[in-house]
Amino acid sequence: MIEYLFMLTAILGAVLALMQRDLLKSAILTGITGASIAILYQYLLAPDVALTQAIVGAAIIPVFFALAVYKTRRMEE
Amino acid sequence: MNSLIPLMVIVPILCALFLNLLHKKDRTIKIIAIILALILPALPILANYGLHYFGGYVPLIENPTLGTDLPSLITGTALNTFHPAITYSFQSAQKIFVFILGLVGLLAVFTSLFETRRPSGVYGYMMFMGIAAITAVLLTDDIFNLYVFFEIAALATVGIVLVSNIKGNYETALKYMILGGIAAPMLLLGVALLLGVTGNVNITDIIYSLKNGLVNPQSPVLLMACGLIVFGWLYGSGLPPFHTIKSAVYSKALPSGAALVQAFSVFTFIALGVIILRIFSYLPFSQWVILGVSLLAMILGITMAILQTDLRRMIGFLAVGELGYIGIGLGLGTVSGITAGLFQAVNEAVITAFLFIGFGTVLYQTGISDTRKLGGMMVRNPKVALLVLLAGFAMAGVPPLNAFQSKLMLIQASINAGLPELGVIMILLSIVTFMTFMKAFHAVFLRPKPADLEIKNENIPKATIIAMLVFLVVCIVFGLFPQVVTSYLQPLATSLGGVV
Amino acid sequence: MIIDTQLASLFTAVALIIIGIFAAAFLDNLIKKVIGLAFIGDGVNLFIVSMGYKAGGIVYIYLPGMAADWFSQNASYPLPFAMVLTSIVIGASTMAVMLGIIIVLYKKHGSLKASEILGD
């Protein structure tokens, strides 16, 4: 039953990430979507994919975005 | 030797990694890159036809010892014939395609090494990586493997655009990547839907499942998969609606890079087009979709080429427009049509590379690509001007050269298929192509030299001239003896034409 | 529940793809466009994984002592999962290249607006 909750957080995280004016918040919110999807993979019986997604989707990609924001500008004009 | 089949992909990848290690050692890079690039066209000539199974996992039917103690649930059904490994299939058509790709790659690497003042390992890396990816796209019989190398080819293209120091290259590269970020997942989704319906990613097995009623071929999911794969095909080869961005990509790369990138587009077009024909040819409208898109590409590409004032952009649009001819051959669906289309693809890859490198000499000498500011280059280099003129003749289809043969075959095939209108359109567009080319040629070479035009580099490197001469020889040989090429292409065309 | 897990995750995947396409097409900020592309990739991956799922099944690891017939009927289908592993890594590397280009473009134009940078 709990997997439906993670589906909801995945979509909510995506929508919220795109609604932020602060790009650093957007970057962190992509991590929430990535992490929810990683947990969903676990429920969908794919533990190895879940591990990869947990590292790439929840840590590496948000860090990439945060670095890009740090190197450019934080607020959306 | 069958072990040479995977080497065709592995050698360029190794070249790429190796060149990147040798960063900043100019002379060593030059020598090693030339030696390694010479291997590329040699490999397909030496290799024997056959299938290569990665990891050695042959289908069960070919390895009976493995199947002895398996239940009949597996050995008694189609599972027995399915391919468990990633399969590379090297047949006669692939032989000529990989050879031409290797040749264009060799000459592009060759010219780039002598035209740039400091040969960079990174540029070589991108070129070799792209060649490896497109070779894999041509060879693979596994549709997911195709997607992976499709992405690598797109990244290599972006890399080739980024290393040229042309104004606006970063913007174009980002635009291309954003479009790719939408199109490539769509291709993957199409692959996924095929996998979901048939449970397989091997193309031969997918076709087996569809033909033998293991899955319902009329399922709407397959229709959607077809649409998504066609979308990826449009992006990968630069057909409309992606013709503007693709021609911009050509125009923002160095001439040698552009020559290579257009070969990538041509061969992506062929590889994905053949796969679409193989899997989806039973859908009645698939043929009309290919014909319609190709016609649109021809008309849009060639008419937009007339309007350009930038030399590179003009050839870029011409290259996109010429892709339409190949698509018309494939879309006709008859054996002669498909042979003509594949032959046109081989010619197109050679001729457009020839044109890019030919007009590249002008850029090398002046650094200007605006046709309004150029002129009088004929006086300086009559030899180069003659070579470029011959390249233009080849593209328009003037008799002794190769595109004449393939365009003639295309027109005959379209008349035989009951669509003479297509033949008329192709002839008209050939004339427009020739007119566009002559306009550019006049502006660059024949017109008197504008007073404010500066020549930066006096001498064109010998390597460029040699590369152009090799292209010319290929054009003439293919033009005089078209059966040399078509005999290689015939088996693939027969297997496809029998399907439609 | 009205719909089962597989169908629900397929819908989630489609929703993510649609959100991503919307962001990539209509948002003006380049970084947000790229975030949208990341969501498209995530959505497609989720779609593929949910196709391999088997309701009430087990993870596709064959342990000693399992009957082969029982395993083959209950395990999830691992081929899509192997594909997704590759696809995740490709997506991440593409994203990194795009962000690198964006940083260079920001230094050149001093802006992240797609309409200014990619406009002409």
Side-chain angles (χ1 to χ4, degrees), chain C residues 2-116:
Chain C
I2 314 151
I3 51 175
D4 59 357
T5 313
Q6 188 171 26
L7 206 56
S9 48
L10 284 178
F11 278 128
T12 315
V14 171
L16 278 175
I17 294 174
I18 290 171
I19 292 170
I21 290 180
F22 172 82
F26 297 113
L27 294 187
D28 198 33
N29 189 289
L30 282 177
I31 290 192
K32 285 208 174 158
K33 266 188 199 288
V34 179
I35 290 179
L37 296 181
F39 289 151
I40 298 180
D42 279 347
V44 173
N45 290 343
L46 183 57
F47 193 94
I48 300 175
V49 169
S50 13
M51 285 192 327
Y53 173 70
K54 186 164 193 133
I58 55 159
V59 175
Y60 49 87
I61 297 170
Y62 186 78
L63 297 173
M66 283 182 179
D69 277 357
W70 181 83
F71 178 76
S72 64
Q73 277 158 21
N74 281 289
S76 50
Y77 186 42
L79 183 57
F81 303 162
M83 285 166 52
V84 167
L85 279 181
T86 321
S87 160
I88 287 173
V89 178
I90 293 177
S93 48
T94 317
M95 221 95 304
V97 175
M98 272 195 253
L99 290 172
I101 299 176
I102 287 175
I103 292 172
V104 174
L105 284 178
Y106 180 77
K107 287 197 177 128
K108 209 157 110 187
H109 294 264
S111 157
L112 280 178
K113 278 190 171 173
S115 50
E116 271 178 32

Side-chain angles (χ1 to χ4, degrees), chain B residues 422-434:
Chain B
L422 285 178
V424 175
I425 294 174
M426 281 190 278
I427 294 175
L428 284 178
L429 286 174
S430 261
I431 297 170
V432 180
T433 307
F434 188 60

Side-chain angles (χ1 to χ4, degrees), chain B residues 449-497:
Chain B
K449 182 173 169 253
D452 53 345
L453 182 69
E454 277 180 56
I455 308 284
K456 284 183 193 158
N457 296 314
E458 203 53 55
N459 296 319
I460 299 167
K462 283 236 165 43
T464 313
I465 310 270
I466 294 172
M468 287 166 76
L469 283 173
V470 173
F471 279 132
L472 182 65
V473 168
V474 173
C475 283
I476 292 175
V477 169
F478 285 4
L480 292 179
F481 310 104
Q483 59 279 12
V484 172
V485 186
T486 47
S487 63
Y488 280 110
L489 301 173
Q490 205 81 42
L492 177 62
T494 317
S495 71
L496 286 174

